[in-house]
Amino acid sequence: MILVSSCLAGLKVRYNGSDSLDNRIQKLLLEEKAITVCPELLGGFLTPREPAEIVGGDGEDVLNGKAIVVEKSGRDVTDLYVNGAYVTLKKAQELGATTIILKEYSPSCGSSMIYNGEFKGNKVPGVGVTTALLRRNGLKVISEENLTDFLDGIQ
């Protein structure tokens, strides 16, 4: 089984109430090869919500207590992000997920790039909180940007 970010499946769960529909993800769902997950909603957020970014590092640093996740207004939402990561991990383990496809650049889901914490649209190498936790537990996390290579490997 494959877990996929809900926003990539076309669900309007992003911070601003939009989606990031990827037709390849939707096809996996229609073929019953994938199940959707949104770590931020699982963590307790609603849609819409303020944009958030990691300040002081990346998801690994958040899990190590060396960085925080803040909303644009400055509110510390680290606990909600960490909670969502753990609920996502539990779901992945219960489903026996082998691969998790998450939305790049997200403070939860980024798998190679995230925003730098200044809310100016600048991206830096790093991972989101959920990606960091899933990888710590031996799960394979990729983004929609690596999807073609992954799909070529499973066909």
Side-chain angles (χ1 to χ4, degrees):
M1 185 54 60
I2 301 166
L3 278 185
V4 299
S5 285
S6 298
C7 63
L8 294 173
L11 300 175
K12 297 187 182 310
V13 297
R14 294 187 69 221
Y15 74 94
N16 60 4
S18 69
D19 65 57
S20 294
L21 175 63
D22 186 306
N23 291 322
R24 301 167 299 174
I25 296 287
Q26 206 167 50
K27 184 174 185 276
L28 289 173
L29 289 167
L30 291 172
E31 293 170 352
E32 298 183 355
K33 294 179 181 174
I35 294 176
T36 62
V37 64
C38 177
E40 293 174 16
L41 294 183
L42 292 173
F45 285 101
L46 301 174
T47 303
R49 57 192 169 275
E50 270 193 81
E53 295 184 10
I54 298 173
V55 175
D58 71 355
E60 286 290 341
D61 298 307
V62 171
L63 294 175
N64 291 333
K66 297 178 179 178
I68 60 172
V69 187
V70 297
E71 291 180 328
K72 192 170 185 177
S73 66
R75 181 172 78 118
D76 183 334
V77 290
T78 304
D79 289 346
L80 292 170
Y81 276 82
V82 171
N83 182 51
Y86 276 96
V87 174
T88 302
L89 172 62
K90 183 178 181 198
K91 185 171 185 173
Q93 291 171 330
E94 287 172 352
L95 293 169
T98 54
T99 301
I100 298 94
I101 304 166
L102 299 178
K103 179 71 182 112
E104 196 66 272
Y105 313 121
S106 158
S108 287
C109 300
S111 62
S112 63
M113 297 288 287
I114 57 171
Y115 289 99
N116 72 352
E118 297 176 353
F119 296 93
K120 295 179 180 175
N122 298 321
K123 299 167 191 159
V124 294
V127 298
V129 178
T130 298
T131 294
L133 184 66
L134 294 172
R135 286 183 175 163
R136 279 187 182 186
N137 285 272
L139 297 170
K140 178 180 180 180
V141 180
I142 63 170
S143 78
E144 74 281 8
E145 295 184 3
N146 307 102
L147 192 54
T148 299
D149 293 339
F150 171 73
L151 292 174
D152 288 346
I154 64 170
Q155 293 180 7

